[in-house]
């Protein structure tokens, strides 16, 4: 009995709530009692002097069963000769509730050394059902109907689940990834638990967990569950941080409790309660309920500086020293503090000046373990060593986290850090006594600070229709014919000029009009001077000389009949010929006749001009067209027709729309809006236009969007259209470093590799243009060989005609080969993340041969329906679905 009384006293002291009054009156009372339970209320007054005039009333809510019981004690201590006296006075009351509910005890008052003091007013909850079986109440009513049923079950070897159970509670069940959750495992009992064994706690799969409370001894306190009083004890408490989205389950905890129960015997004496012979121990295995936490993913659009933080944080940045010498070490300290998943914060990205050697980040964590490391700070130390002197600026550090309360991303930004670096001792360039820097004889390679694709092409490219090439186009054939005709025209004109120089009669014929006009001009002079004889003599010479030169007639054959017949044979009408012969007769007659006056002279002069003009016109109409004239007309016609064709090829009708879309895509890419840039450039492609720069830019946008396979596809298309596109070739090589498949290619013959590399130096159109330049040089050298007079020139022209012709044939061959390769559709890029290559088309009866990953290049050998037979560069073959790959 004595031991039970001590246990009951310890239990009540453990359940009591100490409440400190402002003037040193303490109150001890339970936080929860049953409606039929008696309980103690104790007031404690400490000090040097004993109190007087203590006053307290239980009020209308409680019934005073017994009290007050006054107790006092005094202690005297002497330290270093100094005497100290203290006293403690207690007043104890036993009360019983009158009703259920939550009530506040009345305040007690007392007087100490003439000063009035008072106590606090603690709250107390009164529950309808009786207290638990192990409550240790001092009244008989504590083992009322509520506990008697439990006792009967225990006596029968059964313990009710409502009297003993485990419960795992969460402070929240719907969170986002990274948001802390507090899990508390409690034991609730209304029986006499004497021990525990075989405890199994949850593993918390899908969570980062931190144990924050693990008591070495279990302490119970009273709690109200469904209007029943339970003795509850916290067994464990964890802080959980979800690492994945979805409905994440927490496995139940297990615990075996040892429960002491008293067996019921037929007759009991008053002395049986002093002995424990009728007590036996039962074991009951308890399971906590299975909890499910709904974890939502973090919203899309996280900033690039997002470091995984979820909660509320602040950030400070500072340098360990703001001035130092070159090659000395210092550190940048970034401290992120606040509440949330502090332990899971990633190190922020810091951009140091290029000439700094930066070392591994050192992390120091200062968190409150009682909160599961969800409050405190995390310091990231970035050691660095500057290698040059000067004043440097470390860019502001930005760090983003997700604010749970505001439901948005918040970006913190530090201040730029200024660092002054002085010259190092003996390692920098030395300074002479005159203050001049004497450079040291040393050097080092340029370091790569990082790798990335080259920036997009911003200059507006020359768009062309898809599958259109200069080689073998209508413009190509037009220019080729024009070039050949031009060479033939030059050769014919040069030969005709040589023949004309050797033709004396022809020279006289061509000079007949010129000579006649000169003599007519002299005759006109004589006319103005009214020199009758001289005028007719000169006029006669002009007419006679024109006929002799034009018709190649000797002076001895100058008869009127012969001249008339010769002119008519040359196509001159008889009337015009008679006009000329009549004029010759008039001149001969006037030379020997008297002066007929000025008017007759003037009439004969005008008649001579008209006759010569008419005869010249008639003879030109009669003369046949020369082949060179026809060739000249053809050449000029081709040249005139080629100009609009060239202009239409240079200026596409859709150039205005394409220009607008191109500029829109360039602006979007510069702002980091990869999707908008893709939309603009793909719209140009959908209009049937293409260019190597367009395909390369589309590949860059896909790369920035994270689609490596489509980036490689468009880089390959750019190189297929223009093998000389350096940006596409560089970016493709960089993208290949991220591929999962490493396929060994069959070695290529060195001459074939050399010729392919040489051909890739220029595009197909450029090779075609080079073909025309070399062909023009070859034709020019051929003309030198054909028309040259000196043997040395002819020999040089022969060799210079052969070499350019061979080179032009090679250039045309390369251009035609690139054109044919660009029009082939026998290569593709795997677009799906994983593709299984099968032994035959279709899914039935086919075996899986091997697996390819996105970005791998394959060659298409055959097509059957929606299936394609592909081969790799190492010779392996198989069948894939056509939707798994994109044609280059």
């Amino acid at each position: 009995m004595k031991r039970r009384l001590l246990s009951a006293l310890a239990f009540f002291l453990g359940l009591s709530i100490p409440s400190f009054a402002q003037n040193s009156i303490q109150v001890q009372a339970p936080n929860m009692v049953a409606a039929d339970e008696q309980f103690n209320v104790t007031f404690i007054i400490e000090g040097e002097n004993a109190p007087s005039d203590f006053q307290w009333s239980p009020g209308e809510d409680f019934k005073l069963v017994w009290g007050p019981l006054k107790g006092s004690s005094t202690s005297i201590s002497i330290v270093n000769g100094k005497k100290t006296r203290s006293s403690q006075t207690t007043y104890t009351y036993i009360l019983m509730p009158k009703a259920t509910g939550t009530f506040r005890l009345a305040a007690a008052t007392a007087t100490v050394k003439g000063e009035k003091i008072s106590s606090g007013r603690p709250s107390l909850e009164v529950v309808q059902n009786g207290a638990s079986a192990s409550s240790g109440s001092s009244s008989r009513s504590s083992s009322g109907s509520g506990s008697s049923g439990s006792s009967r079950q225990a006596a029968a070897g059964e313990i009710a689940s409502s009297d003993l159970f485990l419960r795992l509670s969460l402070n929240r069940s719907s969170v986002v990834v990274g948001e802390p959750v507090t899990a508390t495992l409690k034991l609730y009992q209304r029986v006499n638990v004497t021990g525990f064994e075989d405890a199994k706690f949850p593993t918390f799969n899908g969570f980062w967990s931190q144990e924050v409370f693990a008591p070495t001894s279990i302490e119970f306190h009273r709690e109200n569950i469904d209007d029943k009083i339970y003795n509850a004890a916290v067994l464990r408490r964890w802080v959980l941080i979800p690492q994945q989205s979805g409905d994440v389950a927490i496995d139940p905890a297990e615990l075996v409790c040892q429960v002491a129960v008293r067996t019921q015997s037929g007759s009991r004496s008053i002395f049986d309660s002093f002995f424990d012979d009728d007590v036996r121990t039962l074991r009951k295995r308890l399971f906590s309920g299975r909890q499910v936490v709904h974890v939502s993913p973090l919203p899309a659009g996280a900033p690039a500086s997002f470091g995984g933080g979820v909660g509320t944080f602040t950030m400070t940045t500072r340098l360990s020293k703001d001035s130092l010498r070159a090659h000395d070490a210092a550190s940048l300290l970034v401290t992120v503090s606040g509440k949330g998943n502090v332990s899971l914060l990633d190190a922020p990205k810091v951009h140091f000046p290029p000439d700094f050697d930066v070392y591994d980040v050192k992390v120091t964590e200062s968190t409150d373990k009682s909160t599961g490391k969800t409050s405190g700070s995390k310091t990231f130390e970035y050691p660095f060593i500057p290698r040059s002197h000067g004043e440097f600026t470390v860019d502001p550090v930005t760090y983003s986290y997700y604010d749970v309360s505001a439901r948005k991303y918040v970006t913190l930004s530090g201040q730029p850090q200024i660092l002054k670096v002085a010259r190092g001792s003996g390692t920098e360039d030395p300074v002479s006594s005159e203050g001049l820097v004497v450079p040291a004889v040393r050097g080092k390679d340029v370091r790569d600070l990082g790798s990335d694709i080259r920036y997009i092409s911003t200059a507006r490219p020359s768009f062309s229709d898809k599958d259109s090439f200069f080689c073998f186009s209508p413009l190509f054939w037009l220019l080729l014919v024009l070039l050949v005709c031009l060479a033939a025209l030059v050769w014919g004109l040069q030969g005709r000029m040589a023949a004309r120089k050797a033709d004396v009669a022809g020279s006289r014929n061509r000079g007949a009009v010129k000579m006649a006009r000169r003599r007519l001009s002299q005759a006109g002079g004589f006319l103005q001077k009214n020199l009758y004889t001289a005028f007719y003599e000169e006029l006669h010479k002009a007419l006679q000389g024109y006929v002799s030169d034009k018709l190649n007639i000797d002076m001895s054959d100058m008869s009127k009949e012969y001249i008339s017949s010769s002119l008519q044979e040359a196509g001159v009408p008889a009337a015009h010929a008679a006009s000329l012969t009549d004029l010759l007769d008039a001149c001969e007659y006037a030379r020997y006749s008297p002066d007929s006056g000025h008017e007759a002279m003037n009439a004969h002069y005008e008649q001579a001009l008209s006759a010569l003009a008419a005869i010249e016109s008639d003879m030109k109409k009669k003369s046949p067209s020369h082949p060179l004239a026809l060739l000249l007309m053809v050449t000029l016609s081709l040249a005139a027709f080629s100009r609009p064709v060239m202009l239409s090829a240079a200026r596409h009708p859709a150039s205005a729309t394409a220009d607008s879309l191109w500029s829109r895509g360039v602006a979007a890419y510069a702002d980091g809006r990869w999707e908008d840039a893709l939309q603009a450039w793909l719209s140009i492609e959908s209009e049937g236009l293409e260019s190597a720069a367009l395909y390369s830019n589309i590949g860059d946008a896909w790369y920035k969007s994270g689609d490596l396979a489509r980036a490689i596809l468009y880089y390959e298309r750019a190189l297929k259209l223009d093998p000389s596109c350096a940006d596409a070739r560089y970016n493709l090589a960089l993208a290949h470093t991220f591929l999962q498949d490493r396929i060994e290619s069959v070695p290529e013959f060195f001459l074939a590799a050399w010729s392919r590399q040489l051909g890739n130096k220029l595009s197909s159109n450029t090779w075609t243009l080079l073909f025309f330049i070399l062909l023009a040089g070859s034709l020019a050298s051929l003309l030198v060989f054909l028309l040259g007079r000196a043997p040395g020139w002819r020999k040089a022209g022969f060799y210079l005609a052969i070499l350019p012709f061979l080179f032009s044939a090679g250039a045309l061959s390369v251009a035609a080969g690139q054109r044919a390769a660009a029009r082939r559709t026998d290569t593709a890029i795997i677009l799906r993340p994983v593709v299984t290559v099968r032994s035959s088309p279709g899914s039935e009866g086919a075996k899986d041969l091997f697996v390819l990953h996105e970005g791998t290049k394959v060659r298409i050998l055959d097509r059957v329906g929606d299936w394609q037979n592909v081969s790799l560069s190492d010779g392996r073959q198989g069948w894939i679905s056509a939707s798994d790959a994109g044609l280059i």
Side-chain angles (χ1 to χ4, degrees):
M1 176 64 73
K2 181 177 180 181
R3 186 175 65 183
R4 290 191 176 186
L5 290 175
L6 290 175
S7 299
L9 180 60
F11 177 76
F12 278 102
L13 289 177
L15 294 178
S16 63
I17 301 176
S19 177
F20 296 90
Q22 295 181 354
N23 296 308
S24 69
I25 297 183
Q26 304 176 24
V27 184
Q28 290 184 345
N31 65 328
M32 184 181 302
V33 296
D36 57 352
E37 181 181 2
Q38 297 178 5
F39 62 94
N40 296 346
V41 178
T42 302
F43 298 92
I44 302 174
I45 304 175
E46 294 181 345
E48 295 181 357
N49 300 305
S52 61
D53 191 19
F54 178 83
Q55 299 291 333
W56 183 76
S57 173
E60 299 179 355
D61 299 322
F62 300 96
K63 176 183 177 181
L64 179 62
V65 178
W66 184 70
L69 175 63
K70 180 179 180 181
S72 61
S73 63
T74 303
S75 64
I76 300 175
S77 63
I78 301 175
V79 179
N80 295 329
K82 183 178 180 180
K83 181 179 179 181
T84 304
R85 179 179 181 276
S86 63
S87 65
Q88 184 185 71
T89 303
T90 61
Y91 299 88
T92 303
Y93 297 84
I94 298 178
L95 305 180
M96 178 174 285
K98 293 181 179 180
T100 60
T102 301
F103 307 97
R104 296 185 65 188
L105 297 176
T109 60
T111 303
V112 179
K113 294 179 64 175
E115 180 182 357
K116 196 132 180 120
I117 60 176
S118 62
S119 68
R121 299 185 62 192
S123 297
L124 187 144
E125 182 181 2
V126 180
V127 181
Q128 179 63 39
N129 286 339
S132 62
S134 60
S135 62
S137 174
S138 59
S139 68
R140 292 181 180 273
S141 61
S142 65
S143 58
S145 60
S147 58
S148 60
S150 302
S151 300
R152 285 193 295 268
Q153 287 181 338
E158 297 180 2
I159 300 174
S161 298
S162 60
D163 291 336
L164 182 62
F165 58 88
L166 274 178
R167 177 174 291 179
L168 180 66
S169 59
L170 306 175
N171 67 330
R172 56 177 67 93
S173 60
S174 181
V175 294
V176 297
V177 174
E179 183 178 357
V181 178
T182 301
T184 304
L185 181 65
K186 283 186 178 182
L187 174 66
Y188 294 88
Q189 56 95 354
R190 289 166 57 87
V191 294
N192 188 11
V193 178
T194 59
F196 310 97
E197 61 184 29
D198 196 16
K200 295 181 180 179
F201 299 113
T203 56
F204 303 111
N205 293 326
F207 295 90
W208 178 91
S209 61
Q210 176 68 37
E211 191 177 76
V212 297
F213 181 71
T216 56
S217 60
I218 299 178
E219 297 181 358
F220 287 92
H221 63 279
R222 285 189 169 190
E223 285 191 15
N224 180 10
I225 304 294
D226 297 333
D227 206 26
K228 292 181 181 180
I229 297 178
Y230 284 84
N231 296 323
V234 178
L235 302 183
R236 289 290 188 277
R237 183 176 287 116
W238 300 270
V239 170
L240 311 177
I241 299 179
Q243 301 297 293
Q244 63 187 40
S245 59
D247 291 334
V248 185
I250 301 177
D251 296 332
E254 297 183 26
L255 180 66
V256 176
C257 293
Q258 300 174 1
V259 182
V261 297
R262 185 181 299 280
T263 58
Q264 298 290 341
S265 58
S267 61
R268 291 177 59 86
S269 67
I270 194 174
F271 300 103
D272 289 341
S273 60
F274 290 97
F275 304 97
D276 293 332
D277 295 339
D278 57 351
V279 176
R280 66 190 181 97
T281 301
L282 299 179
R283 287 176 172 80
K284 184 175 179 63
R285 183 175 294 276
L286 306 178
F287 296 90
S288 66
R290 182 174 181 268
Q291 298 287 346
V292 176
V293 181
H294 177 69
V295 184
S296 301
L298 292 174
S305 58
F306 178 65
V310 178
T312 305
F313 301 96
T314 59
M315 182 184 66
T316 59
T317 58
R318 66 180 181 88
L319 291 170
S320 60
K321 56 181 76 174
D322 56 5
S323 61
L324 70 164
R325 291 181 176 272
H327 307 288
D328 289 346
S331 297
L332 174 67
L333 303 174
V334 180
T335 301
V336 181
S337 56
K339 294 182 178 180
N341 56 345
V342 179
S343 296
L344 301 182
L345 297 178
D346 296 331
K349 295 181 180 179
V350 180
H351 300 284
F352 286 92
D355 206 24
F356 280 35
D357 289 342
V358 184
Y359 300 91
D360 294 339
V361 181
K362 179 182 179 183
V363 181
T364 304
E365 189 174 314
S366 177
T367 53
D368 186 358
K369 294 184 178 180
S370 64
T371 63
K373 299 183 178 181
T374 58
S375 64
S377 63
K378 199 171 186 179
T379 300
F380 304 93
E381 182 179 356
Y382 299 81
F384 63 88
I385 297 177
R387 294 304 184 185
S388 303
H389 68 277
E391 183 173 298
F392 301 93
T393 300
V394 181
D395 295 338
V397 180
T398 57
Y399 198 74
S400 300
Y401 67 91
Y402 182 72
D403 191 334
V404 178
S405 58
R407 298 295 176 182
K408 66 178 183 179
Y409 290 100
V410 178
T411 300
L412 306 174
S413 181
Q415 297 294 326
Q417 303 295 322
I418 308 300
L419 181 66
K420 296 181 179 179
V421 182
R423 294 182 180 274
S425 56
T427 56
E428 285 275 301
D429 295 335
V431 181
S432 65
S433 58
E434 292 81 7
L436 300 176
V437 178
V438 181
V441 182
R442 66 180 187 277
K444 59 180 181 180
D445 295 334
V446 178
R447 294 184 305 161
D448 288 333
L449 303 178
S451 60
D452 195 6
I453 59 174
R454 292 180 179 177
Y455 195 68
I456 59 172
S457 175
T458 58
R460 190 264 186 193
S462 178
F463 296 112
S464 61
D465 293 330
K466 287 189 176 181
D467 296 333
S468 64
F469 290 86
F470 184 23
C471 182
F472 300 152
S473 65
L475 180 61
F476 171 85
W477 296 113
L478 184 64
L479 292 179
L480 181 61
V481 173
L482 178 62
L483 188 61
V484 173
C485 290
L486 185 62
L489 181 63
V490 172
W491 175 73
L493 289 176
Q494 186 67 24
R496 187 179 181 188
M497 290 176 63
R500 292 180 67 177
K501 288 182 179 180
D503 185 9
V504 178
S507 299
R508 289 178 58 193
N509 183 293
R510 291 188 294 273
V513 176
K514 184 177 180 181
M515 183 60 68
R517 286 177 179 175
R518 185 185 303 169
R519 288 176 174 172
L520 286 175
S521 178
Q522 293 179 1
F526 295 146
L527 176 63
Q528 292 178 358
K529 296 178 181 179
N530 200 17
L531 298 177
Y532 180 80
T533 303
F535 166 74
Y536 279 107
E537 287 182 356
E538 194 64 32
L539 182 60
H540 185 268
K541 290 180 181 179
L543 296 176
Q544 198 175 38
Y546 171 78
V547 173
S548 176
D549 293 339
K550 195 68 177 178
L551 300 178
N552 195 18
I553 301 175
D554 293 335
M555 288 296 180
S556 60
D557 297 330
M558 282 292 180
S559 65
K560 179 180 178 182
E561 291 78 9
Y562 187 73
I563 293 175
S564 178
S565 61
S566 298
L567 288 175
Q568 291 180 19
E569 290 177 0
V572 179
H576 292 171
S579 175
L580 179 62
T581 56
D582 291 344
L583 191 56
L584 286 173
D585 290 341
C587 290
E588 291 179 358
Y589 176 76
R591 291 169 58 191
Y592 305 102
S593 65
D595 188 355
S596 59
H598 186 77
E599 293 181 1
M601 295 170 59
N602 188 45
H604 287 157
Y605 181 78
E606 294 295 334
Q607 186 179 358
L609 291 177
S610 300
L612 291 181
I615 292 171
E616 185 68 22
S617 176
D618 294 335
M619 294 184 69
K620 285 183 178 180
K621 293 178 182 180
K622 182 67 175 178
S623 60
S625 299
H626 198 276
L628 288 179
L630 295 177
L631 183 61
L632 179 61
M633 292 178 60
V634 172
T635 304
L636 294 177
S637 300
L638 291 175
F641 181 72
S642 64
R643 177 177 174 83
V645 174
M646 296 177 64
L647 291 177
S648 63
R651 297 180 180 178
H652 197 275
S655 60
T657 304
D659 287 347
S660 176
L661 292 172
W662 175 267
S663 301
R664 188 189 309 169
V666 170
Y669 189 94
D671 295 338
R673 295 180 284 112
W674 323 121
E675 296 294 335
D676 294 342
L678 270 175
Q679 183 179 2
W681 291 330
L682 289 175
S683 298
I684 299 177
E685 184 188 16
S686 65
E687 292 184 0
L689 302 179
E690 65 178 359
S691 74
L694 174 64
Y695 286 149
S696 180
N697 282 12
I698 294 176
D700 294 344
W702 279 123
Y703 181 91
K704 291 295 185 180
S705 300
D707 196 330
L708 185 64
R710 285 178 171 78
I712 292 176
L713 173 64
Y714 275 90
Y715 290 148
E716 290 281 3
R717 287 179 177 177
L719 292 174
K720 188 176 182 180
L721 185 63
D722 182 6
S724 65
C725 185
D727 289 346
R729 189 170 299 280
Y730 176 86
N731 294 342
L732 179 63
L734 181 63
H736 278 165
T737 61
F738 300 103
L739 294 181
Q740 298 186 46
D741 297 334
R742 293 290 183 266
I743 303 172
E744 295 293 335
S745 301
V746 177
E748 189 178 14
F749 185 54
F750 75 97
L751 288 179
W754 177 82
S755 61
R756 178 178 52 80
Q757 293 174 1
L758 178 62
N760 291 340
K761 296 295 183 181
L762 300 174
S763 64
S764 174
N765 293 343
T766 307
W767 280 112
T768 305
L769 181 61
L770 184 61
F771 158 75
F772 278 107
I773 295 175
L774 293 173
L775 182 61
S778 176
L779 292 177
S781 300
L782 180 63
L783 291 176
V784 171
F785 168 73
L786 295 175
L787 303 176
R789 295 181 180 275
W793 282 100
R794 290 174 58 83
K795 185 177 181 180
F798 176 77
Y799 290 113
L800 290 179
I802 294 177
L803 291 178
F805 179 77
L806 295 177
F807 287 145
S808 66
L812 181 61
S813 175
V814 174
Q818 290 185 359
R819 174 179 177 273
R823 291 190 169 187
R824 285 198 300 266
T825 57
D826 59 347
T827 53
I829 299 295
I830 300 297
L831 298 181
R832 294 187 183 275
V834 179
V835 172
T836 301
V837 182
R838 300 179 179 274
S839 60
S840 62
S843 57
E844 296 182 1
K847 292 184 178 180
D848 296 341
L849 299 181
F850 49 90
V851 173
L852 296 177
H853 298 87
E854 61 177 352
T856 303
K857 185 177 181 180
V858 297
R859 182 172 295 279
I860 301 174
L861 303 178
D862 192 10
R863 293 178 175 88
V864 176
D866 294 334
W867 291 85
Q868 296 174 341
N869 185 16
V870 300
S871 67
L872 304 181
S873 57
D874 59 1
R876 285 182 289 176
Q877 297 183 14
W879 291 84
I880 64 173
S881 175
S883 60
D884 294 337
L887 293 177
I888 299 177

